[in-house]
Amino acid sequence: MNKFVKACVSKFKILSILTAVIVAVGVVCMAVFGFAVNATNDDMNTVTIKVNQYVYSQHLDKVEDVAEKFFSDNNVKYEYDMNAEMYGDESEIVYVFDSKVEVTAAMLNSLQASFDALAATNSGDVLAGSFIKVVGNSEKALNKTPDNGVVRAVVAAVVFAVVACLYVTIRHHYTSGLTLFVGLSVSAALTASLIAITRMPTTDNWLFVLFFNLLFTTACTMFTLNKVRKAQKEDKKLDAETLVNSNLAVEQVLTFALASVVALVIFGAIATSAVRWVAAISLLSVVAGVFASLFFAPALYFVVKKAADAKDAQRARYDYKGS
């Protein structure tokens, strides 16, 4: 792997063309098809179980067990459930179904009858004497992030990228700052393009995935830039090629990427169906981040560093002649 990455350091033009092709295909896909909106977050049916506060606080598990057993016995699969504790004496447990799953009056009545039998004062059950009401709805869920949420995501991403690049420029050198800035831009563009090309269902939450991508790419890029800076301090006479090739943080980047993938897989496995797609497109952002930080950024730094060294050498000659 190290040999392959080192071989790519001198292939900046090829990497640039590859990036441009992927982004171009992504732009075409977005222009023709747009993003694939997650249908699970659009039209859906719900079953809401309303209970009094005492039942919600003391016997919520019992209510959920009865409802879930009912759905299981009737071969009705729900996408996810939500609990809503409200002020006053009424709270809700909401079960969300795909729009293809029909919530019939007969099903609602049957579930209500199950709860009525347990809530009867002479039932002897822990739910005896409680208030439980079953309601069904067909709803249009929010498939767009509120405008203020989108603005916050965009502003946070831009501020983070600018601050990170300025910090690296001041702390390291303008060549490192420029490398990080372009690397982040490439990684973000590739992430958006891969989402469009793969047609993974998503909503406006892909903007938050881009922010995750910026964090991931920054961390991975800095692994190499920090090693480069340390090597430069130890030997200022190293040429650009030796400097980059001998300080590629391949193991660190791949280890961090693997840890991120494992975390996202676990996150997706235990999350609801809507959030599961967020984890899935986050995996695409990891792929884009690894490419940008492990291949594109070192190759770009090599080109920028060579140009900076040549400029410094030329300035040194002029200063020598002037003296």
Side-chain angles (χ1 to χ4, degrees), residues 2-3 6 12 36-37 42 49 54 56 65 67 76 91 112 121 140 147 150 180 187 246 251 266 271 283 289 320:
N2 283 333
K3 291 182 179 180
K6 288 180 180 180
F12 178 70
V37 177
D42 193 3
I49 302 172
Y54 173 76
Y56 188 89
D65 289 343
V76 180
S91 295
Q112 181 69 65
T121 55
K140 190 84 169 179
D147 290 340
V150 174
L180 180 60
S187 185
S246 59
E251 293 182 0
I266 295 174
L283 290 174
Y320 177 77

Side-chain angles (χ1 to χ4, degrees), residues 26-72:
V27 170
V28 171
C29 289
M30 280 190 281
V32 176
F33 305 108
F35 282 119
V37 177
N38 189 351
T40 305
N41 288 341
D42 193 3
D43 294 312
M44 64 185 187
N45 295 320
T46 61
V47 171
T48 302
I49 302 172
K50 300 182 178 182
V51 299
N52 57 305
Q53 188 60 35
Y54 173 76
V55 173
Y56 188 89
S57 60
Q58 300 297 322
H59 303 298
L60 177 61
D61 291 342
K62 174 68 175 181
V63 175
E64 291 177 331
D65 289 343
V66 172
E68 290 168 12
K69 183 178 185 303
F70 175 85
F71 296 138
S72 178

